[in-house]
Every structure is written in structure tokens, then in C-alpha cells.
Amino acid sequence: MQEEELRHFPQPEPKATLWRYLNTYKFKDLLETRTLYLCRLSELEKIDPNEGLMNRTQLETLPGYLRGDEFQLQNFVNFHERIRQRAWVTCFSLGQFEEAFMWRRFCKSDPPEGVAVRTTYEKLKLATLGFPESDKIYMAQVRYEETEYMPWK
């Protein structure tokens, strides 16, 4: 990604606390395989139909930003979809404390059980340095809706 594109995807502070909520069987797999599961971004819509899509504010702002140029708008939408089909992601939650909502959302099983892995952005970034093609890894924050009540995650 070029520098101009990256400015839209800010990185957290190095000491920022990150959480990864996992079902117990996924945590066991993480320990046994020593690998972090990545999902194609477009596949996340099976879990949440809004994952990887532009939020309402982006959709409303884009035509004005492109000065109503329909050709540019269609190019942007097509580019965004190509990214969704080619990007592989894993999601962590940014926050100082655990969140009950995240436990309910990502540790679903019967009976309910799971693990919350706590780390920092700095440690996660350091862990990726040994990956093949680590120069192609870009970690960034996501904001699902741009409101005062929806912080960067």
C-alpha cells in the first residue's frame, strides 16, 4: 500500500493493549500449530454481513470527495472489492480491559468457554518479523462507524 493509502489506516500506540478472544479449541490449535489463523476479508461476511464493507459515513462522503465523478466512484468501489477478495486478516480488540460483549461474540460454544489472549501492539508486531513476506504485513486499526461512541479498534 502506498503512503497516501496508509494514512486512512492508523496504527495503535506501541504499548496499546490488544485482546484476541478465542474458543478453547481455537486456542489449543494456536498453541499446537504455533500459527495465527488468517481469514480472507470477504469471508468474514459469513459471520457479520458488514465486515470489510465501507461504513455509512464513508459511503455518504465518497461521492463528494470524488466530486460526483461516477467513473471514479465505480473504480473505487471495484478497487475496494478487489481488496476484500485479496486481503487476509485476523482481528484483535483494542482496549485496556476485557469486554463482556467480545466474550459473548467470539467465545461461543456449548457450554460457553474460551480464552482471552492479552498482548500489546508492539509485541504482536515484533512477532510478525519472522514471517515469510513480513514486508507485506500491515497492521492497522479499524473503525466500524465514525461516531463519538465508536472508537478505533
Side-chain angles (χ1 to χ4, degrees), residues 67-81:
R67 295 182 177 89
D69 185 330
E70 288 296 321
F71 180 74
Q72 288 285 18
L73 181 59
Q74 192 56 52
N75 279 344
F76 188 89
V77 169
N78 292 342
F79 172 76
H80 184 78
E81 185 54 31

Side-chain angles (χ1 to χ4, degrees), residues 53-70 73 76-77 144-147:
L53 299 177
M54 289 183 275
N55 66 41
R56 185 186 63 234
T57 302
Q58 292 167 321
L59 290 171
E60 291 170 355
T61 306
L62 195 54
Y65 179 76
L66 298 174
R67 295 182 177 89
D69 185 330
E70 288 296 321
L73 181 59
F76 188 89
V77 169
Y144 289 93
E145 288 290 334
E146 190 157 342
T147 69

Side-chain angles (χ1 to χ4, degrees), residues 10-152:
Q11 295 186 345
E13 294 296 318
K15 301 292 183 193
T17 302
L18 303 178
W19 298 86
R20 178 76 165 110
Y21 298 85
L22 301 160
N23 286 327
T24 305
Y25 76 91
K26 290 180 181 178
F27 180 66
K28 183 179 175 201
D29 181 71
L30 172 72
L31 293 177
E32 290 174 352
T33 65
R34 300 182 56 83
T35 58
L36 191 57
Y37 174 76
L38 299 175
C39 179
R40 193 174 72 216
L41 183 56
S42 63
E43 292 293 311
L44 288 177
E45 68 188 22
K46 292 176 181 174
I47 300 166
D48 180 343
N50 295 316
E51 281 290 350
L53 299 177
M54 289 183 275
N55 66 41
R56 185 186 63 234
T57 302
Q58 292 167 321
L59 290 171
E60 291 170 355
T61 306
L62 195 54
Y65 179 76
L66 298 174
R67 295 182 177 89
D69 185 330
E70 288 296 321
F71 180 74
Q72 288 285 18
L73 181 59
Q74 192 56 52
N75 279 344
F76 188 89
V77 169
N78 292 342
F79 172 76
H80 184 78
E81 185 54 31
R82 282 194 309 276
I83 295 295
R84 283 178 20 88
Q85 296 299 325
R86 294 181 179 144
W88 293 78
V89 299
T90 189
C91 302
F92 285 75
S93 179
L94 176 66
Q96 198 62 27
F97 305 101
E98 297 174 58
E99 297 179 49
F101 167 78
M102 300 301 278
W103 278 105
R104 288 190 305 273
R105 179 104 168 101
F106 295 103
C107 296
K108 298 182 214 173
S109 60
D110 192 20
E113 61 178 320
V115 175
V117 176
R118 182 178 150 204
T119 190
T120 64
Y121 175 72
E122 180 177 55
K123 288 178 184 176
L124 184 60
K125 190 165 177 111
L126 283 172
T128 66
L129 294 179
F131 288 7
E133 301 186 66
S134 61
D135 60 320
K136 295 181 181 174
I137 296 173
Y138 187 76
M139 300 185 329
Q141 298 176 88
V142 173
R143 182 179 287 173
Y144 289 93
E145 288 290 334
E146 190 157 342
T147 69
E148 61 185 85
Y149 302 109
M150 183 57 72
W152 288 98

